[in-house]
Amino acid sequence: MARPTVVAQRELIVETAARLVEGQADLWLAEAPPQRPGIASPTEDSPSLPQEPPSDLMRRALESRRLLLSEEVERGGALAVAVPLLADEAVLGVLEVRRAEGPPFSGAEIELIDGLAAQSAAALQAARQVTTERWRVEQLSLVRTVSARVVQVLELDELCHRVTDLILQTFNYYYVALFTLDPGQESLRCRANAGATRPESTESEASLHLQIQLGEGIIGHVAQTGVEVLANDVSREPHYRHVDSLPETRSEVALPLKIEGRVMGVLDVQSDHVDGFDETDMLVLRALADSIAIAIHNANLYRSERWRRQVADSLREVAGLLSEDVALDQVLEAILAELERTLPCDVVAIWLLRDGDLCLSAVRGYAAEVCITDLSPDVDSWLNQALRADQPVIRTQQSPAEPLGAELGFPSDYSAISAPLRAGDQRLGVLTPVSYTHLRA
C-alpha cells in the first residue's frame, strides 16, 4: 500500500472530525515531515499548507497547548472547539471543529474531538517516524553505493572530484569540499569542491577557499584537532569563516579524514538552512568520511609506489651516464632533469663544494639564468646545515630563505628541501628542490 501523503492524512482527519460531530472541521499542521534527499516530498504537487494557524482560537490553543472552547454562550455552550495534536511534547498541529448553526457541542462530543485529536497525533507521529526510518535505510544504502564507487579510484585528484560530485548529487547539499593535508605541511589544500557556484564570482573570490592554514576557520580547526565540528547555525560558531562565494551558508559540518589517528584531510559539507544536519545526517557523513579516508590512503599508497618506480628508473638513467664517463655538466643536468620529472617543483639546484665554499653548479627551472654571487649568513648557514646533516633538511615558514627562494622573492610559505650529497664520508654538496606554485599531487 502506498504511503499516504501529509495532505491525504490531513484530509482524512478533517473528514472524520466533521462527520463525527456533524460540524465543519479544519486542521493546521505545524510542519510537514522533513524533506529528505532521495525521497519525494509528501506535499509534492499539493497545495502548500499555511505557516500559521488560520484562526484566533487555533492560535490560542497552540500557545496554551490545551483544548480550548469558543466563548459563545448565547446557546448555553461552545460553538467551536480547538485542540492541539501533541506527540512526545511536540505540537504537530491544531484541530478545530465548528458549528455555524445547530446546537453547541456537548461534553460527550468534546471528549470525542479530544480523543480524535490524540489518535490523529499518534498516527501523524508514526507516519513521520516511518518516513525518517525509510530515509535512514535509503541513506545508508546510498553511503554503500558512494563508497563502492570511490574506493577503487587510485588517482587522488580523480578520487576527490568524484567524491564531492557524488555527495552533492546524491545527498543534495548546498556545498561540498574535500581538503587534504600532506605530512609536515601547515596548510590544507582544497582538492575538489562542488556546488554553490556563482557566475559573477571573481577568480580571487574562488581562490579564497583553495588553501587553509591549520587552525584557521572550521576546516583548519578540525584538521588541527582531529575532532569534527557541527555548526547548525554558523552565526553562532566562533570558528566559522565567511566566504563571499558561499553567501547562502547557514550551517556547516567538517569531519576529519583519519587513518590510524593521523589526519589526512577534512570533508566539509554546508547547508543553506539553519539546523541543516541532524543525527542521521551525521551518521551518514561519518560513514562517508571513513570510506573517503580509506580511499585517500589507498590512492596515496598507489602514488607512493608509482613514485618509487619513477625514482628507480631515474637512478638507472643517471647510473648509466656515470658508467659511460660522461662530462660532469651533463651528469648534473641529467640528475636535475630526472628529479624535475619525478618531483614537480619550480626550481631545482645542485650546489657543490669548491675550496670549502658551496657553489651553484647546476640549476633547472624558470630561474635557470639567475646569478647568485653573494650569500647572506642566514642563507649560507641553512645550506651548510643541510651539508652537515645525515638526512634531508625541510624548510619551514620559520626557516630563513635559501638562496634561490631569496633571489626569486618567494613568499615565506614556500617549500624547499636540501639533501646532502656524499660519497662515503666525503661531503660533496647539496641538492635543493624549491617549490611555491607546485604542490605535490
Side-chain angles (χ1 to χ4, degrees):
M1 180 181 294
R3 178 174 53 88
T5 65
V6 168
V7 172
Q9 290 176 314
R10 176 181 177 276
E11 291 175 350
L12 179 61
I13 295 169
V14 168
E15 180 183 346
T16 302
R19 188 171 61 246
L20 191 65
V21 295
E22 297 181 354
Q24 294 81 44
D26 191 12
L27 174 62
W28 172 79
L29 294 177
E31 62 178 6
Q35 296 184 15
R36 298 297 189 184
I39 297 182
S41 169
T43 57
E44 190 174 349
D45 300 326
S46 300
S48 59
L49 300 176
Q51 297 297 313
E52 299 292 336
S55 74
D56 179 67
L57 186 62
M58 277 185 168
R59 286 190 290 272
R60 289 190 289 116
L62 175 63
E63 293 172 0
S64 66
R65 300 169 66 92
R66 61 187 179 86
L67 185 149
L68 293 180
L69 306 176
S70 63
E71 297 176 354
E72 297 102 338
V73 295
E74 61 269 19
R75 296 191 183 182
L79 295 177
V81 178
V83 55
L85 278 60
L86 302 175
D88 298 331
E89 302 300 323
V91 180
L92 304 184
V94 180
L95 174 64
E96 180 182 271
V97 184
R98 287 184 174 273
R99 280 185 180 150
E101 298 178 358
F105 291 110
S106 66
E109 289 175 323
I110 292 174
E111 288 183 6
L112 282 175
I113 295 171
D114 194 22
L116 176 62
Q119 293 178 358
S120 298
L124 287 170
Q125 181 72 353
R128 295 186 181 192
Q129 290 174 346
V130 168
T131 297
T132 300
E133 290 304 318
R134 177 186 173 193
W135 178 79
R136 287 177 178 171
V137 171
E138 292 195 8
Q139 294 294 82
L140 292 176
S141 176
L142 290 172
V143 168
R144 289 192 293 271
T145 300
V146 171
S147 299
R149 293 175 67 177
V150 302
V151 74
Q152 299 300 325
V153 181
L154 295 177
E155 292 290 345
L156 187 57
D157 286 330
E158 179 187 351
L159 166 67
C160 294
H161 281 93
R162 184 173 295 189
V163 163
T164 54
D165 289 343
L166 281 172
I167 292 177
L168 187 76
Q169 295 167 10
T170 305
F171 301 101
N172 297 327
Y173 291 117
Y174 172 63
Y175 176 78
V176 181
L178 200 156
F179 292 79
T180 57
L181 178 65
D182 291 328
Q185 295 297 310
E186 297 294 323
S187 62
L188 295 105
R189 177 186 177 188
C190 182
R191 286 281 184 174
N193 59 80
T197 56
R198 292 191 303 161
E200 67 273 19
S201 295
T202 65
E203 184 176 349
S204 60
E205 286 178 331
S207 65
L208 285 175
H209 218 50
L210 293 181
Q211 196 163 348
I212 294 178
Q213 297 298 314
L214 284 178
E216 179 184 3
I218 291 178
I219 296 167
H221 177 74
V222 169
Q224 188 175 60
T225 63
V227 179
E228 69 182 41
V229 168
L230 169 61
N232 259 328
D233 183 351
V234 294
S235 67
R236 299 176 178 270
E237 172 54 52
H239 292 106
Y240 173 69
R241 186 187 71 163
H242 175 76
V243 177
D244 289 342
S245 57
L246 302 172
E248 304 301 325
T249 296
R250 297 295 178 268
S251 53
E252 180 176 1
V253 58
L255 301 101
L257 307 175
K258 296 195 290 188
I259 290 290
E260 296 179 352
R262 182 173 72 86
V263 177
M264 306 177 63
V266 174
L267 173 65
D268 182 64
V269 183
Q270 301 182 22
S271 170
D272 52 0
H273 298 286
V274 174
D275 295 326
F277 304 96
D278 61 15
E279 292 182 3
T280 305
D281 289 300
M282 296 306 298
L283 175 68
V284 167
L285 290 173
R286 290 184 189 116
L288 283 172
D290 290 341
S291 297
I292 294 167
I294 293 172
I296 290 177
H297 180 62
N298 291 340
N300 284 338
L301 291 177
Y302 171 75
R303 180 186 60 179
S304 297
E305 180 59 30
R306 186 176 60 182
W307 183 77
R308 289 190 187 97
R309 292 182 181 179
Q310 289 177 342
V311 170
D313 292 340
S314 297
L315 291 175
R316 281 194 294 270
E317 292 286 338
V318 173
L321 291 174
L322 293 174
S323 64
E324 294 173 7
D325 194 23
V326 177
L328 178 61
D329 288 347
Q330 290 180 260
V331 173
L332 296 180
E333 181 64 24
I335 291 173
L336 295 184
E338 292 297 330
L339 184 61
E340 191 177 45
R341 183 171 67 87
T342 57
L343 183 65
C345 53
D346 293 307
V347 189
V348 58
I350 294 177
W351 305 77
L352 295 180
L353 274 174
R354 294 177 183 172
D355 298 327
D357 295 327
L358 281 171
C359 301
L360 182 63
S361 301
V363 61
R364 189 177 180 90
Y366 68 76
E369 297 180 0
V370 69
C371 179
I372 300 176
T373 58
D374 185 38
L375 300 180
S376 72
D378 284 341
V379 171
D380 191 33
S381 67
W382 191 76
L383 284 179
N384 279 306
Q385 178 187 358
L387 179 67
R388 296 188 298 268
D390 294 326
Q391 299 291 332
V393 176
I394 300 175
R395 182 186 178 278
T396 67
Q397 291 191 36
Q398 290 72 40
S399 301
E402 50 69 55
L404 293 177
E407 181 69 22
L408 295 169
F410 282 169
S412 62
D413 61 348
Y414 80 95
S415 300
I417 301 175
S418 279
L421 300 176
R422 293 183 178 181
D425 294 333
Q426 183 181 3
R427 297 184 179 92
L428 303 178
V430 293
L431 173 66
T432 306
V434 180
S435 178
Y436 174 62
T437 61
H438 290 76
L439 293 173
R440 288 197 62 175

